[in-house]
Amino acid sequence: MFHGFSRNLSCRLKLAFPRRRPFSVLAIESSADDTCAAIVDSSRKILANVVMKQHDIHEEYGGIYPMSAIGTHQSNMPYAVRQALDDAGFDVVRDVDGIAFTRGPGMPGCLSVGMNAAKSLAAALNKPLVGVHHMQGHALTPLLTAWPQEPQFPFLSLLISGGHTLLLLAKSVRSFEILATTRDESIGRSFDKVSKLLELKWTSLGPGDALEKFCAEEDEDDCPTVPPFPRPLIGQPAFSFSAFHSHVNLLLNELETKANFDQPMKKAIARAFQSAAVGHLEEKVILGLELCKQKGIFVQDVVVSGGVASNQYLRHRLRQCLLNFDPGTPYSLIFPPPHLCTDNAVMIAWASMHRFLANDTDLYSIELRPKWSIEDL
């Protein structure tokens, strides 16, 4: 029904809204530690994108501390919504046509802040409401940002973040098949743990970004050689990242014993870890493309999204990987802009748009789904 959503959008608009402005959505995202509000309309205009981060609160804990995250969401949410309205030039919330929010997956207490705000606004103003799957939002972002060269269904989608690592076959805006998922932790969690082990100071984008920037620094001295990292689950449609950060932990324990842990060695370990983790992603992307071929499914577009997709080293490696895999096939590797890779409400607004336009909305009594497979859409 929704195959080729981007091409059908203008037609559907003419049928449903013949003489009015584009349909606008106020969206709220609060699945983890970013308080987000955005306004997007059906003509693909991003009218507002507000992201209020909490890194200064959670850095001392080495990760997201749930109670602090919930309390900060509650404090930030009114200001995020007000700022989004101001940025979009809307005087009041009733100027928007629909309200969307992240229904799941995510941290239950954090999700509830966004859901309660969205439900209260929708009910008070008699606006239609849509609850969105967080990973669906990431997967569909390039249909907004890459237009008019947006990916065409079916496409391969690699979703890599602090909470998820998924390789999907995207068949339509609401149909996804999981080709591989992680058996232990996400790639983003692994980056965060290694950054903490190496005692790197968080950047404004968090510990994983700190590790990427540390690896990219110019060297004053030659970096030493690091023992090779493990290569888990070769040839299997599954990810495993715990082996990588565990290997770093073992190396650091050994170096402390030998008392030769200096800055060049720290950087060598960081780079070896990043290279091994990205190599693991490369192998699974190629495996996913081969699985599609075996099923007779022609895939030409590969979408990479989620917070880790902002990593520039990863982007370069994946481009080379696809070129080396099949030089004769013009694969298109598509990333959202870095600021729309991390959690944001723009992706939630856009992922809800096809439902609003089809009058497929939710009741105000809709409940959260903190654990929610994207195959269950």
Side-chain angles (χ1 to χ4, degrees), residues 176-289:
F176 298 87
E177 178 184 347
I178 297 176
L179 303 180
T181 187
T182 182
R183 291 187 177 178
D184 38 59
E185 65 189 23
S186 69
I187 184 173
R189 181 68 59 85
S190 189
F191 265 74
D192 291 350
K193 287 183 176 180
V194 170
S195 183
K196 183 179 180 181
L197 286 170
L198 296 176
E199 300 178 346
L200 302 180
K201 181 171 179 56
W202 290 23
T203 68
S204 60
L205 295 178
D209 183 66
L211 190 143
E212 177 195 354
K213 287 182 168 54
F214 180 63
C215 291
E217 289 178 0
E218 294 185 5
D219 299 321
E220 295 181 1
D221 303 300
D222 292 335
C223 285
T225 302
V226 173
F229 274 67
R231 298 184 63 196
L233 303 177
I234 293 177
Q236 299 182 48
F239 299 95
S240 174
F241 291 97
S242 62
F244 299 118
H245 94 254
S246 295
H247 189 71
V248 171
N249 202 26
L250 290 172
L251 288 174
L252 295 179
N253 288 337
E254 184 177 335
L255 288 169
E256 286 180 4
T257 302
K258 295 181 179 180
N260 61 347
F261 182 43
D262 53 15
Q263 191 76 354
M265 178 58 78
K266 179 187 286 191
K267 188 167 292 183
I269 292 173
R271 287 174 175 170
F273 161 77
Q274 181 173 240
S275 178
V278 171
H280 191 53
L281 291 180
E282 289 176 329
E283 193 242 330
K284 303 309 175 187
V285 169
I286 298 306
L287 182 60
L289 292 172

Side-chain angles (χ1 to χ4, degrees), residues 42 45 62 89 95 104 123 172 176 202 214-215 219 223 227 241 262 319 329 348 355 364:
S42 53
K45 288 183 180 178
D95 289 341
S172 75
F176 298 87
W202 290 23
F214 180 63
C215 291
D219 299 321
C223 285
F241 291 97
D262 53 15
R319 288 190 183 97
T329 301
I348 303 303
R355 290 189 57 194
Y364 296 153

